Amino acid sequence: MSPPYGSRLANKVAVITGAGSGIGLESSVLFASEGAQVVCADINDKAAAATVEKITSLFGKGRAVSIRADVSNEEDVKKMIQLAVSEFGKLSIVFNNAGIMHPADDNALTTSEDIWDLTMKINVKGVWWGCKYAIEEMRKTGGGSIINTASFVALRGAATPQLAYTASKGAVLAMTRELAVVHAKENIRFNSLCPGPLRTPLLMEFLNTDDKKNRRLVHVPMGRFGEAIEQAKAALFLASDESSYMTGTDMAVDGGLCAAY
Ligand code: NAD
């Protein structure tokens, strides 16, 4: 097996959802490069398998496995967590990162109950299932680190209407804080990652005109979209023991957006 590039996650086993694209893909590769063994989960099984192929080509066999998991399906999430244990022997890190932003007009007057329910099912219930099964497993080994992907829209009002999405990410923040407090003494840490606007398929499909993109960038002091790898680096810090005294935080990685007025 080729040695990984670093050892910040040596002897750790991570599960990452949404591992087939964007933040999840970059985090899977980065975590593996720092010594973690990674379960790459995605509703798109081909994309998850491609992430594993990439990890294997870079670092050799035995560093990653893929699974098709819809995070809004409890059984899928249970299997995804069990795979970490059956394949790699334990569970140290869960990055509940998968999420959707419905491309339809999603303001209070135009959004539909279907969009609302689907968004909540994946973005909120999916994080709950991920936390629930992770807690059960991490208790057995004395703790772990759980990172939940929220968004800057949970911290500031978004200028482009996306009401169901915003509400779902607010719920992720609130849930993460409560879990952090409740499980702090068990050494299970929970932190939220709050990305700013990124150049990933999720946002680029939503902001599908130059006008929409420019309107979003007006609010970003750095004047550019973020890259998925910039989120992965923050997630790596939260996943590693370097953040051992951090729990219940909302880490904004947003080009200065939340600092601006
Ligand atoms: P992306 O579209 O590049 O990747 C999302 C991945 O999640 C895809 O591979 C997709 O197949 C997978 N996925 C979707 N539904 C799923 C489900 N039900 N079960 C399992 N996997 C599923 O998007 P991204 O930008 O990397 O987004 C990752 C997270 O970051 C999301 O939670 C998103 O809300 C959040 N976020 C993104 C931005 C942004 O600007 N892109 C900003 C703030 C927060």
Side-chain angles (χ1 to χ4, degrees), residues 99-108 110-111 115 119 123 151-153 157-169 196-217 219 225:
I100 59 156
M101 181 189 283
H102 204 286
D105 200 4
D106 178 21
N107 71 51
T110 59
T111 200
I115 292 173
T119 305
N123 292 8
S151 168
F152 75 93
V153 302
T160 322
Q162 44 188 77
L163 194 71
Y165 180 79
T166 297
S168 75
K169 293 302 187 179
L198 309 180
R199 211 168 47 84
T200 65
L202 178 133
L203 189 66
M204 294 302 107
E205 281 161 24
F206 179 68
L207 303 178
N208 54 5
T209 65
D210 282 346
D211 182 47
K212 285 184 190 166
K213 286 189 181 69
N214 290 335
R215 271 165 55 203
R216 183 57 62 92
L217 282 181
H219 301 277
F225 289 104

Side-chain angles (χ1 to χ4, degrees), residues 21-27 30 95 97 193 195 197-201 224-235 253:
S21 176
I23 299 172
L25 164 59
E26 294 295 344
S27 300
L30 185 66
F95 187 8
N97 164 72
L193 181 68
L198 309 180
R199 211 168 47 84
T200 65
R224 66 169 174 87
F225 289 104
E227 302 296 334
I229 185 66
E230 294 173 306
Q231 304 299 322
K233 286 176 181 171
V253 182

Side-chain angles (χ1 to χ4, degrees), residues 36 44 129 255:
N44 180 340
W129 296 137

Side-chain angles (χ1 to χ4, degrees), residues 3-78:
Y5 296 134
S7 57
R8 293 166 73 190
L9 298 182
N11 304 316
K12 308 262 191 202
V13 176
V15 171
I16 300 180
T17 69
S21 176
I23 299 172
L25 164 59
E26 294 295 344
S27 300
S28 298
V29 176
L30 185 66
F31 284 23
S33 82
E34 288 289 344
Q37 289 174 302
V38 187
V39 172
C40 300
D42 203 292
I43 197 167
N44 180 340
D45 52 351
K46 287 201 177 87
T51 301
V52 171
E53 267 173 43
K54 187 169 180 182
I55 291 171
T56 305
S57 71
L58 287 168
F59 312 120
K61 284 192 175 147
R63 302 229 60 85
V65 289
S66 68
I67 182 169
R68 185 202 172 274
D70 174 353
V71 295
S72 68
N73 180 302
E74 186 175 5
E75 274 310 302
D76 280 10
V77 175
K78 209 169 163 179

